[in-house]
Amino acid sequence: MIRHLPNFLTCCNLISGCLGIVFLLEGRSVPAAYFVWASCVFDFFDGFAARWLNVSSPIGRELDSLADVVSFGVLPSMVMYKLIGAHSSSEALPYIAFTIAAFSAMRLAIFNIDTTQSDSFKGLNTPANTIFITSLPLLPAHIGAWLYQDWLLVTITMVFSLLLVSRIEIFALKFKNFSWQDDTNKLRFTFLLLTGLLLILFQVSALPLVILLYIGMSLGAKALSR
């Protein structure tokens, strides 16, 4: 039974995403964000378990992508749909949010056939994109008053959708070892330290900043390596 553990965790990821969508349909965006975080945890540990148990399989890879389309494609689209709809007088504009689902599916399909994305990502990974989108409703009211404008939310939707399928190199938080001598590990450790500080200072409101930091550090590291 232990060899089925990775697929079990992947199914937990999928179910968590489905529950998040249910909470959104009931108008509860904050619990939906909690289910996203749970999906991220399951998504991390299913791959970890597969490598640890040495039971990776093509079925597991495909199942992982199918689960991710729901948890990290449809769910963030629903969050943005609700946000735009709540702050726009247009009936059609909120549907732009589902661009996130389409580009997330495309990004996952590209990842599945691209063998060069083992140590880093090309384009923003779907969990990071989802954490950014779903944490927007958690921002304090004084920030939300400025951010929750339909044109700005649409701009965020389009920019992050394009980041998903871009060729920007984004470092992965996958440690093969914990040596400080590894330049990529230095980047990872620094990011995790700064993330911890931001979370201590701003709690859940720091999450959008954490993702922007993640993107910024990836771009900075790539520029310095040239």
Short mmCIF file of all heavy atoms in Angstrom, two decimals, residues 102-129:
data_model
loop_
_atom_site.label_atom_id
_atom_site.label_comp_id
_atom_site.label_asym_id
_atom_site.label_seq_id
_atom_site.Cartn_x
_atom_site.Cartn_y
_atom_site.Cartn_z
N ALA A 102 -6.79 28.76 -18.15
CA ALA A 102 -6.30 28.34 -19.47
C ALA A 102 -4.78 28.33 -19.53
O ALA A 102 -4.16 27.37 -19.99
CB ALA A 102 -6.87 29.25 -20.56
N PHE A 103 -4.16 29.41 -19.02
CA PHE A 103 -2.71 29.51 -19.08
C PHE A 103 -2.05 28.55 -18.06
O PHE A 103 -0.94 28.09 -18.29
CB PHE A 103 -2.26 30.94 -18.84
CG PHE A 103 -2.32 31.80 -20.07
CD1 PHE A 103 -3.54 32.27 -20.55
CD2 PHE A 103 -1.17 32.13 -20.77
CE1 PHE A 103 -3.61 33.04 -21.69
CE2 PHE A 103 -1.22 32.91 -21.91
CZ PHE A 103 -2.45 33.37 -22.39
N SER A 104 -2.73 28.28 -16.97
CA SER A 104 -2.20 27.31 -16.01
C SER A 104 -2.17 25.91 -16.63
O SER A 104 -1.19 25.17 -16.48
CB SER A 104 -3.06 27.28 -14.74
OG SER A 104 -2.98 28.51 -14.05
N ALA A 105 -3.24 25.54 -17.33
CA ALA A 105 -3.27 24.24 -18.00
C ALA A 105 -2.18 24.16 -19.07
O ALA A 105 -1.50 23.12 -19.21
CB ALA A 105 -4.65 24.03 -18.63
N MET A 106 -1.99 25.27 -19.80
CA MET A 106 -0.95 25.30 -20.82
C MET A 106 0.43 25.16 -20.18
O MET A 106 1.29 24.43 -20.67
CB MET A 106 -1.04 26.61 -21.61
CG MET A 106 -0.26 26.61 -22.92
SD MET A 106 -0.40 28.20 -23.77
CE MET A 106 -2.18 28.36 -23.88
N ARG A 107 0.62 25.87 -19.06
CA ARG A 107 1.91 25.83 -18.37
C ARG A 107 2.22 24.40 -17.87
O ARG A 107 3.36 23.92 -17.99
CB ARG A 107 1.87 26.79 -17.18
CG ARG A 107 3.23 27.05 -16.53
CD ARG A 107 3.48 26.20 -15.33
NE ARG A 107 4.80 26.43 -14.75
CZ ARG A 107 5.91 25.89 -15.23
NH1 ARG A 107 5.88 25.12 -16.29
NH2 ARG A 107 7.09 26.11 -14.64
N LEU A 108 1.21 23.71 -17.35
CA LEU A 108 1.40 22.34 -16.86
C LEU A 108 1.69 21.38 -18.01
O LEU A 108 2.52 20.46 -17.87
CB LEU A 108 0.16 21.89 -16.08
CG LEU A 108 -0.03 22.60 -14.74
CD1 LEU A 108 -1.47 22.42 -14.24
CD2 LEU A 108 0.95 22.08 -13.70
N ALA A 109 1.05 21.59 -19.15
CA ALA A 109 1.30 20.75 -20.31
C ALA A 109 2.73 20.94 -20.82
O ALA A 109 3.42 19.97 -21.16
CB ALA A 109 0.30 21.07 -21.42
N ILE A 110 3.19 22.19 -20.84
CA ILE A 110 4.57 22.48 -21.27
C ILE A 110 5.56 21.82 -20.32
O ILE A 110 6.55 21.21 -20.74
CB ILE A 110 4.80 24.01 -21.32
CG1 ILE A 110 3.99 24.63 -22.46
CG2 ILE A 110 6.29 24.33 -21.51
CD1 ILE A 110 3.97 26.15 -22.43
N PHE A 111 5.28 21.93 -19.01
CA PHE A 111 6.17 21.35 -18.01
C PHE A 111 6.30 19.83 -18.18
O PHE A 111 7.38 19.26 -18.01
CB PHE A 111 5.64 21.67 -16.61
CG PHE A 111 6.47 21.09 -15.49
CD1 PHE A 111 7.65 21.70 -15.10
CD2 PHE A 111 6.06 19.93 -14.85
CE1 PHE A 111 8.42 21.16 -14.07
CE2 PHE A 111 6.82 19.39 -13.82
CZ PHE A 111 8.01 20.00 -13.43
N ASN A 112 5.20 19.19 -18.54
CA ASN A 112 5.20 17.73 -18.66
C ASN A 112 6.09 17.22 -19.79
O ASN A 112 6.60 16.09 -19.72
CB ASN A 112 3.77 17.21 -18.87
CG ASN A 112 3.03 17.10 -17.56
OD1 ASN A 112 3.56 17.33 -16.49
ND2 ASN A 112 1.74 16.76 -17.64
N ILE A 113 6.27 18.04 -20.83
CA ILE A 113 7.07 17.57 -21.96
C ILE A 113 8.44 18.24 -22.03
O ILE A 113 9.24 17.92 -22.91
CB ILE A 113 6.32 17.79 -23.30
CG1 ILE A 113 6.08 19.28 -23.55
CG2 ILE A 113 5.01 17.02 -23.32
CD1 ILE A 113 5.53 19.59 -24.93
N ASP A 114 8.71 19.16 -21.11
CA ASP A 114 9.99 19.87 -21.10
C ASP A 114 10.92 19.20 -20.09
O ASP A 114 10.70 19.29 -18.88
CB ASP A 114 9.77 21.35 -20.73
CG ASP A 114 11.02 22.19 -20.92
OD1 ASP A 114 12.13 21.61 -21.03
OD2 ASP A 114 10.91 23.42 -20.95
N THR A 115 11.96 18.55 -20.58
CA THR A 115 12.87 17.81 -19.71
C THR A 115 13.93 18.70 -19.07
O THR A 115 14.76 18.22 -18.30
CB THR A 115 13.58 16.70 -20.50
OG1 THR A 115 14.30 17.28 -21.61
CG2 THR A 115 12.57 15.69 -21.04
N THR A 116 13.94 20.00 -19.38
CA THR A 116 14.97 20.90 -18.84
C THR A 116 14.52 21.59 -17.55
O THR A 116 15.25 22.42 -17.02
CB THR A 116 15.33 21.98 -19.88
OG1 THR A 116 14.19 22.83 -20.09
CG2 THR A 116 15.75 21.36 -21.19
N GLN A 117 13.33 21.25 -17.04
CA GLN A 117 12.80 21.95 -15.87
C GLN A 117 12.86 21.09 -14.60
O GLN A 117 11.93 21.07 -13.80
CB GLN A 117 11.37 22.40 -16.11
CG GLN A 117 11.22 23.41 -17.25
CD GLN A 117 9.84 24.05 -17.28
OE1 GLN A 117 9.34 24.54 -16.28
NE2 GLN A 117 9.24 24.07 -18.46
N SER A 118 13.98 20.42 -14.40
CA SER A 118 14.11 19.58 -13.21
C SER A 118 14.63 20.36 -12.01
O SER A 118 14.19 20.17 -10.88
CB SER A 118 15.04 18.40 -13.51
OG SER A 118 16.31 18.87 -13.94
N ASP A 119 15.60 21.27 -12.24
CA ASP A 119 16.20 22.03 -11.14
C ASP A 119 15.67 23.46 -11.05
O ASP A 119 15.91 24.16 -10.06
CB ASP A 119 17.73 22.08 -11.30
CG ASP A 119 18.35 20.69 -11.21
OD1 ASP A 119 17.86 19.89 -10.39
OD2 ASP A 119 19.30 20.42 -11.96
N SER A 120 15.00 23.91 -12.08
CA SER A 120 14.40 25.25 -12.09
C SER A 120 13.20 25.22 -13.02
O SER A 120 13.00 24.26 -13.77
CB SER A 120 15.42 26.30 -12.55
OG SER A 120 15.83 26.04 -13.89
N PHE A 121 12.40 26.27 -12.95
CA PHE A 121 11.22 26.37 -13.80
C PHE A 121 11.44 27.40 -14.90
O PHE A 121 12.18 28.37 -14.71
CB PHE A 121 10.00 26.79 -12.97
CG PHE A 121 9.66 25.85 -11.86
CD1 PHE A 121 9.82 26.25 -10.53
CD2 PHE A 121 9.16 24.58 -12.11
CE1 PHE A 121 9.50 25.39 -9.48
CE2 PHE A 121 8.84 23.72 -11.07
CZ PHE A 121 9.01 24.13 -9.76
N LYS A 122 10.80 27.19 -16.01
CA LYS A 122 10.74 28.21 -17.05
C LYS A 122 9.31 28.73 -17.05
O LYS A 122 8.39 28.06 -17.49
CB LYS A 122 11.13 27.63 -18.42
CG LYS A 122 12.60 27.29 -18.51
CD LYS A 122 12.98 26.73 -19.86
CE LYS A 122 14.47 26.40 -19.91
NZ LYS A 122 14.85 25.76 -21.18
N GLY A 123 9.16 29.93 -16.54
CA GLY A 123 7.84 30.48 -16.30
C GLY A 123 7.46 30.29 -14.84
O GLY A 123 7.99 29.40 -14.16
N LEU A 124 6.57 31.12 -14.37
CA LEU A 124 6.13 31.04 -12.98
C LEU A 124 5.37 29.74 -12.75
O LEU A 124 4.48 29.39 -13.53
CB LEU A 124 5.24 32.23 -12.65
CG LEU A 124 4.76 32.38 -11.20
CD1 LEU A 124 5.94 32.59 -10.27
CD2 LEU A 124 3.76 33.51 -11.08
N ASN A 125 5.72 29.00 -11.70
CA ASN A 125 5.01 27.75 -11.43
C ASN A 125 3.60 28.04 -10.91
O ASN A 125 3.34 29.08 -10.30
CB ASN A 125 5.80 26.87 -10.46
CG ASN A 125 6.12 27.57 -9.17
OD1 ASN A 125 5.27 27.71 -8.30
ND2 ASN A 125 7.36 28.02 -9.02
N THR A 126 2.70 27.10 -11.14
CA THR A 126 1.28 27.33 -10.82
C THR A 126 1.00 27.48 -9.32
O THR A 126 0.15 28.30 -8.96
CB THR A 126 0.40 26.21 -11.40
OG1 THR A 126 0.91 24.93 -11.00
CG2 THR A 126 0.37 26.28 -12.93
N PRO A 127 1.69 26.75 -8.42
CA PRO A 127 1.42 27.00 -6.99
C PRO A 127 1.76 28.42 -6.56
O PRO A 127 1.01 29.04 -5.79
CB PRO A 127 2.31 25.96 -6.28
CG PRO A 127 2.47 24.87 -7.26
CD PRO A 127 2.55 25.55 -8.59
N ALA A 128 2.90 28.96 -7.04
CA ALA A 128 3.28 30.33 -6.67
C ALA A 128 2.26 31.32 -7.20
O ALA A 128 1.86 32.27 -6.50
CB ALA A 128 4.67 30.65 -7.21
N ASN A 129 1.82 31.12 -8.43
CA ASN A 129 0.80 32.00 -9.01
C ASN A 129 -0.49 31.95 -8.20
O ASN A 129 -1.12 32.98 -7.92
CB ASN A 129 0.53 31.57 -10.46
CG ASN A 129 -0.51 32.44 -11.13
OD1 ASN A 129 -0.30 33.61 -11.38
ND2 ASN A 129 -1.65 31.84 -11.43
#
